[in-house]
Amino acid sequence: MNKELADTKDFLQNISDYIHFFVKENVPDTFVLLSQIFLKFLFFIAIIYVVDFVIKFIINTIFKLFFDKEKYPVLKSIYSARITNSIAHIGALLFGSYALFSIFYRHPKSHTFLERLIGLLIVIVIAQLLLRGVTATRNYFILKKDYYKIIALNAVSQTINIFGIFVCSVIAISVMFGISGGAIVGSLGAITAVLVLVFRDTILGFVTGIHVATSKNLKVGDWIGIPKYNIEGTIKDLNLLTTKIENFDKTISTIPTYDFLTTEIKNLQVMSESNTRRIKRSISFNIKSFKFLDKETLARLSKINLIKDYLEEMTAEISKERNPLENADLLINGRQLTNIGVFRVYALNYLKNNKGVDQSGTLMVRQLENTPQGMPLEIYCFTNDSAWQTYETIMADIFDHLMVASKEFDLEIMQFTKI
C-alpha cells in the first residue's frame, strides 16, 4: 500500500513538473506563473473529478445489487437519499488533500489557499451528508409505512437542519480563516442583541427568503391571494425586506416579506398552470315553490332533452314501487319526484354537456343548509380555461341559463349569492 501511494505521489509530481516546464518554455514570462497555477488547478480538479466518479460508480453499483426495498429497506433508503454520492465526494476530496502537495509543491502560497479550500469543501460535503442522513431516515420510515414517526421526524427535521447549518458554518469559517470556533461563537453572542434590534426586519426577511426558497411555495410571477390584506395579483418582486404584488387593476401593493411566515397566502399559480379555475356559487330558491311533480308537469318536462331519459327511467321505477301501495294516486304516498330534485339533475347534466366545463375535475350540484334567504343549490365545477375574462364568461353563461331554466320547473329564485 505504501509503495502504491509513493508511486501515485511520484506520478502526480511528474505531471505537475511537466505542466510547470511546458508553460515556462511556451508562455511569455508575464503570464508564466498565472498559467502554471491555472493549468495545475485544472489538472487538480480533473483528478478529483475522476476519483469521485470511480468511487461513486463502485459504491452505487454495489448498492444497486441490493435495490430490493422489501429485503433491504435501509440500503434502499440510503441510496435514494444519495448518501453514496456524498461518501464518494468525501473520498475524492480526501484524495485531493493528499495529492495537493504533490501538484502544487512549487507554489507554496497556492498550496496553503487550496488546502483551506479543500477543508472548506469537506465540511460542506459532511454537512450535506448529515442532511441527507435525515432524508434517508425519513425514506426508511416511508418504506416501512410508519407514518407516526414520519410526522415526528418532519416536526424536528427543520430544527436539525438549521442547527446543523449553523454548526457547519462555524466550522467552515474556522477552517477557511484559521479562526477558533470558540472565538466565533463568543463574538456572535456579544453582537446578537444589537443585530436583532437593528436588523430585525432584515433578519426576518432573510429567514423568510430561506423558507420560501427551500419550500418552493412562492416565486416571482406567481398569482397569489392574501385574504388579510384583500390582495390578489401577481408577484413582481420578492426581496429581503418587501414584496411587490401587481393587482389586477394594475395597482402595486407592497407588503413586508417577513409577513409570509405568519400570514395565509393562497398560491393560485397551480390553477393557472393547469388552465382550470373553480366555480363555487349557488342559487337560492324559495322553499315554498318546492312541490311534487304531477303527471301533467312530468309530461311537459319529459320533452327536455337533458332529463328525458332520467324521467323515463325514474317514472317507471317509481310507478313499479307505488302500484302495491294503498291510495297510490295520492302523491305524498310513497316515493315521488320533486321539481327541485329534477332541476338538480338537469343542472348536473347541463354542466356535463357544457364545453366550457372541465369534465375531468370535480363536478357536482348539491343542496346547502337552508337559510332565511331560502335553500341554496350550489354549482361546484371547474372551467377548462383559467383566463379571467373567459372564466367570467363561462360562469355567467352557466348561471344565466340555470336561473332562466328554473322557471320551467316552477321554481322561484330568492337570491343569488356567492358562497
Side-chain angles (χ1 to χ4, degrees), residues 159-176:
T159 304
I160 294 174
N161 289 348
I162 293 173
F163 180 74
I165 291 172
F166 172 76
V167 172
C168 291
S169 297
V170 172
I171 297 174
I173 294 172
S174 300
V175 171
M176 194 64 187

Side-chain angles (χ1 to χ4, degrees), residues 260-297:
F260 285 167
L261 288 176
T262 57
T263 302
E264 178 192 2
I265 308 293
K266 292 183 178 181
N267 194 332
L268 307 173
Q269 187 64 23
V270 176
M271 179 175 64
S272 177
E273 291 173 353
S274 65
N275 204 31
T276 61
R277 188 170 179 180
R278 187 184 70 175
I279 294 176
K280 186 176 182 288
R281 288 190 177 183
S282 65
I283 304 172
S284 291
F285 292 100
N286 187 350
I287 298 175
K288 294 181 180 180
S289 66
F290 296 172
K291 64 179 182 179
F292 292 120
L293 297 182
D294 54 28
K295 293 181 180 180
E296 292 76 12
T297 306

Side-chain angles (χ1 to χ4, degrees), residues 167-367:
V167 172
C168 291
S169 297
V170 172
I171 297 174
I173 294 172
S174 300
V175 171
M176 194 64 187
F177 299 101
I179 304 173
S180 168
I184 296 174
V185 175
S187 299
L188 287 175
I191 65 175
T192 296
V194 177
L195 288 175
V196 171
L197 180 63
V198 177
F199 299 105
R200 173 182 173 274
D201 290 353
T202 303
I203 294 172
L204 288 174
F206 174 74
V207 173
T208 304
I210 296 296
H211 170 73
V212 170
T214 54
S215 65
K216 298 181 181 179
N217 289 331
L218 297 171
K219 65 180 183 298
V220 173
D222 277 1
W223 171 18
I224 66 169
I226 308 177
K228 175 181 177 180
Y229 298 113
N230 194 26
I231 292 174
E232 185 173 326
T234 304
I235 299 177
K236 304 302 292 183
D237 184 32
L238 200 161
N239 57 44
L240 195 62
L241 297 177
T242 60
T243 297
K244 293 182 180 179
I245 301 170
E246 182 180 7
N247 303 302
F248 290 132
D249 59 1
K250 298 302 179 181
T251 59
I252 299 293
S253 296
T254 302
I255 65 171
T257 299
Y258 62 76
D259 248 14
F260 285 167
L261 288 176
T262 57
T263 302
E264 178 192 2
I265 308 293
K266 292 183 178 181
N267 194 332
L268 307 173
Q269 187 64 23
V270 176
M271 179 175 64
S272 177
E273 291 173 353
S274 65
N275 204 31
T276 61
R277 188 170 179 180
R278 187 184 70 175
I279 294 176
K280 186 176 182 288
R281 288 190 177 183
S282 65
I283 304 172
S284 291
F285 292 100
N286 187 350
I287 298 175
K288 294 181 180 180
S289 66
F290 296 172
K291 64 179 182 179
F292 292 120
L293 297 182
D294 54 28
K295 293 181 180 180
E296 292 76 12
T297 306
L298 278 172
R300 176 169 56 84
L301 294 179
S302 295
K303 297 178 181 179
I304 300 176
N305 294 337
L306 288 177
I307 54 174
K308 179 181 178 181
D309 294 339
Y310 169 77
L311 289 178
E312 289 178 356
E313 179 183 346
M314 294 303 298
T315 300
E317 183 179 325
I318 291 173
S319 296
K320 185 178 180 180
E321 292 181 9
R322 288 173 57 84
N323 285 336
L325 297 177
E326 186 179 354
N327 300 319
D329 57 327
L330 192 61
L331 291 177
I332 198 171
N333 287 330
R335 191 177 172 194
Q336 189 55 273
L337 292 171
T338 63
N339 59 345
I340 184 65
V342 174
F343 177 74
R344 179 163 48 83
V345 175
Y346 171 82
L348 182 62
N349 289 339
Y350 175 76
L351 294 176
K352 289 180 179 179
N353 287 273
N354 192 307
K355 295 181 179 179
V357 174
D358 178 26
Q359 301 300 320
S360 63
T362 303
L363 199 156
M364 179 171 53
V365 179
R366 62 172 182 164
Q367 293 184 7

Side-chain angles (χ1 to χ4, degrees), residues 138 141-142 146-157:
R138 186 175 184 277
F141 289 134
I142 290 175
D146 194 340
Y147 298 111
Y148 290 105
K149 290 184 179 179
I150 292 173
I151 294 173
L153 186 62
N154 288 340
V156 300
S157 61

